[in-house]
């Protein structure tokens, strides 16, 4: 459960929703239950949580794949099975566009996690696979493909629900001790950026702000994300004409052309309209970062405070 589901509940007050979860992590499993219980208290009788835990015999002695590249697709396939057994032929997965398409930060970025599990082309391929297995059409859709995470968080701002984000987990590399969420991976940074852009006080505790000193590479993701934001800004500023903006974007990120060519029909859009929506979305994303960039720090709270004091002293001496 995250802000996307909350938005869907607000958008369709006449509908009830089945939330499906899976996985093998007991901590995440418990967190799903707590968040679902909270949302149920906000929308009584409209939200039903079903889960299928994944368990492995003697998992402690099994060799682990740290990349977990196929994990998201496995979750989607299990969700599709749940939807089908409930008589549905559409499964909705909720992810903002920035996280779904997940463009590379820059050509030199190596070793950063760029998940493709809810990428538009991945969802198309999973839809085709499930349809082939079932012998009838089945679609996996992302209703928020053209939304930034900050746009999704407006639902929280409008309802004054700054109590919900601390219940949710966004971190790619959660720590074992509290605070659990690191605050400096790309998912944590996008979460923090989105909440700041919608003027929601982030009550989540992060290692980078509230815990011990983070590792030396804690600024790596933020550096890369800001390079990408600057790249997007420069590409969009080449012209006021949409065709030239799109040409610049796809020269740097060719996958965008492939996404439009292959998925515009599935989104019930003309290619030119889908290009326009993507251009506007990236322009919005850049604008959001420009508004909050100075607020997104990656140094510990006590270290930032010392640096600020040092800077003030330097000014006084001069």
């Amino acid at each position: 459960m995250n802000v996307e589901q909350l938005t869907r509940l607000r958008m369709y007050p006449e509908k009830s929703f089945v939330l499906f979860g899976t996985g093998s992590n007991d901590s995440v499993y418990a967190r799903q239950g707590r968040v679902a219980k909270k949302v149920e208290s906000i929308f009584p009788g409209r939200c039903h949580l079903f889960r299928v835990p994944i368990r492995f015999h003697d998992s402690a002695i099994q060799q682990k794949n740290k990349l977990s590249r196929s994990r998201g697709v496995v979750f989607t396939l299990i969700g599709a099975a749940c939807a089908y057994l409930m008589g549905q032929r559409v499964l909705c997965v909720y992810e903002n566009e920035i996280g779904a398409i997940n463009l590379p930060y820059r050509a030199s970025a190596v070793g950063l996690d760029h998940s493709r599990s809810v990428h538009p082309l991945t969802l198309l391929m999973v839809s085709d696979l499930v349809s082939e297995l079932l012998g009838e059409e089945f679609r996996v859709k992302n209703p928020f493909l053209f939304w930034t995470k900050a746009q999704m968080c407006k639902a929280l701002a409008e309802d004054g629900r700054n109590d919900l984000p601390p219940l949710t987990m966004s971190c790619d590399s959660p720590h074992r001790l509290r605070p659990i969420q690191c605050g400096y991976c790309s998912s944590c940074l996008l979460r923090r950026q989105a909440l700041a852009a919608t003027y929601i006080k982030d009550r989540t505790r992060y290692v980078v702000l509230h815990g011990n000193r983070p590792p030396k590479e804690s600024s790596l993701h933020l550096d890369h994300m800001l390079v990408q934001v600057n790249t997007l800004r420069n590409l969009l500023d080449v012209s006021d004409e949409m065709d030239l903006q799109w040409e610049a974007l796809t020269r740097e990120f060719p996958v965008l052309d492939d996404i439009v060519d292959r998925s515009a029909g599935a989104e019930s859009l003309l290619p030119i309209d889908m290009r326009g929506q993507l251009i506007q979305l990236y322009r919005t994303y850049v604008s959001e970062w420009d508004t909050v960039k100075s607020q997104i720090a990656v140094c510990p709270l006590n270290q930032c405070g010392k640096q600020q004091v040092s800077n003030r002293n330097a000014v006084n001496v001069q």
Side-chain angles (χ1 to χ4, degrees), residues 3 20 57 68 90 92 99 108 118 122 136 140 151 162 172 243 252 265 275 277 283 295:
V3 69
F20 180 78
H57 182 63
S68 302
V90 175
C92 289
S108 62
V118 287
T122 301
E136 58 181 297
V140 183
Q151 288 174 319
N162 65 356
D172 295 330
D243 288 347
E252 180 73 20
R275 293 186 201 111
Q277 290 203 40
R283 190 170 290 284
Q295 303 175 42

Side-chain angles (χ1 to χ4, degrees), residues 4 16 39 42 78 102 122 132 192 297:
E4 285 86 353
S16 296
V39 174
I42 302 171
I78 298 175
N102 214 354
T122 301
E132 182 69 22
R192 293 173 58 200

Side-chain angles (χ1 to χ4, degrees), residues 163-196:
D163 57 324
L164 288 178
L167 297 177
T168 66
M169 172 73 76
S170 301
C171 190
D172 295 330
S173 303
H175 290 229
R176 291 186 179 276
L177 301 177
R178 295 183 182 276
I180 295 175
Q181 303 196 63
C182 73
Y184 55 84
C185 69
S186 57
S187 294
C188 280
L189 287 168
L190 185 58
R191 168 200 183 101
R192 293 173 58 200
Q193 179 259 15
L195 293 174

Side-chain angles (χ1 to χ4, degrees), residues 303-316:
Q303 183 179 340
C304 289
K306 292 177 180 178
Q307 182 177 351
Q308 290 166 359
V309 171
S310 176
N311 289 341
R312 285 198 298 271
N313 290 339
V315 172
N316 291 336

